[in-house]
Amino acid sequence: MNKSSMNIKGTLKCEITIPSNDFEKVKIEGLKNKHTQFDGDNVTISGERSNSFVNTGLENALDLLFGLGGSIVSHIGVTDDTTVVTATTTKLDPTDDDSVTLLSAQSLARVDRVVTGEATFTHVNANFAYKKIGFLSTATDAGTGLIDVIGGGGTSPYNQAFNIDLTGATTWSATLGIEVEFKAS
């Protein structure tokens, strides 16, 4: 009997803009394909990072695929929490709901087998170091809607260092998008 399988791949895509004079005051760790562009008064830093679905996200995808319920991705969240992430993690921040900022995911559009959703975080709406970023199907970090996570330590595939700390800059914006791709394998 031939086997068929499907692979779900998630990738963080980010673009951060800060004033040029604040460039040395920010810390960014764990981005791949990092590119820095100086443009007069501003610096734009872009990069990407693979992420991993947690069990609730995988189960939600199956429920939607087979019409068993499930919820659509609606929010992107960030937190400064450093609690270890595992496949059974259900919250971005299991210890403090107040340290999570969730924004509505914009630009949710599919091209072939890839969908991307993004939100723009700023010094006004989320002024702390980002240790985890995730997709959620809920407007709160209630433990029922976490789909996937970037960062968080733990064991593979959640074990890579991750930190976006822009708190040393006077102003900034970080457009964080998560690209999800389905592949036959």
Side-chain angles (χ1 to χ4, degrees):
M1 173 184 268
N2 291 333
K3 293 183 180 181
S4 176
S5 63
M6 179 173 47
N7 181 328
I8 302 174
K9 178 184 177 191
T11 305
L12 167 69
K13 305 277 185 162
C14 70
E15 184 172 290
I16 301 163
T17 303
I18 59 172
S20 296
N21 59 347
D22 287 339
F23 179 68
E24 298 296 327
K25 299 175 187 174
V26 302
K27 297 175 187 170
I28 299 173
E29 179 183 16
L31 291 181
K32 306 276 191 239
N33 302 321
K34 193 164 110 179
H35 178 72
T36 305
Q37 180 177 347
F38 291 87
D39 183 21
D41 294 336
N42 293 313
V43 175
T44 302
I45 305 161
S46 59
E48 57 187 42
R49 164 74 179 266
S50 294
N51 62 335
S52 296
F53 277 65
V54 292
N55 289 349
T56 54
L58 295 171
E59 292 160 2
N60 190 57
L62 279 172
D63 288 348
L64 288 167
L65 183 65
F66 286 94
L68 302 173
S71 303
I72 63 168
V73 171
S74 59
H75 288 79
I76 295 178
V78 294
T79 183
D80 62 355
D81 178 68
T82 58
T83 304
V84 169
V85 174
T86 67
T88 60
T89 296
T90 59
K91 294 178 78 173
L92 269 179
D93 186 342
T95 61
D96 182 9
D97 291 339
D98 293 334
S99 74
V100 176
T101 298
L102 297 176
L103 298 178
S104 293
Q106 304 298 314
S107 303
L108 287 169
R110 182 178 61 81
V111 176
D112 297 323
R113 289 156 308 282
V114 178
V115 175
T116 303
E118 65 183 25
T120 300
F121 296 86
T122 69
H123 61 285
V124 175
N125 64 18
N127 195 17
F128 49 84
Y130 304 158
K131 303 294 184 174
K132 295 180 203 164
I133 299 169
F135 256 157
L136 292 94
S137 64
T138 53
T140 63
D141 190 24
T144 58
L146 187 61
I147 301 294
D148 68 352
V149 179
I150 297 123
T155 59
S156 183
Y158 312 99
N159 60 340
Q160 299 172 7
F162 183 74
N163 179 32
I164 295 178
D165 186 351
L166 308 171
T167 58
T170 53
T171 61
W172 50 267
S173 68
T175 300
L176 307 174
I178 300 175
E179 177 183 275
V180 177
E181 178 180 15
F182 275 52
K183 287 181 164 182
S185 54

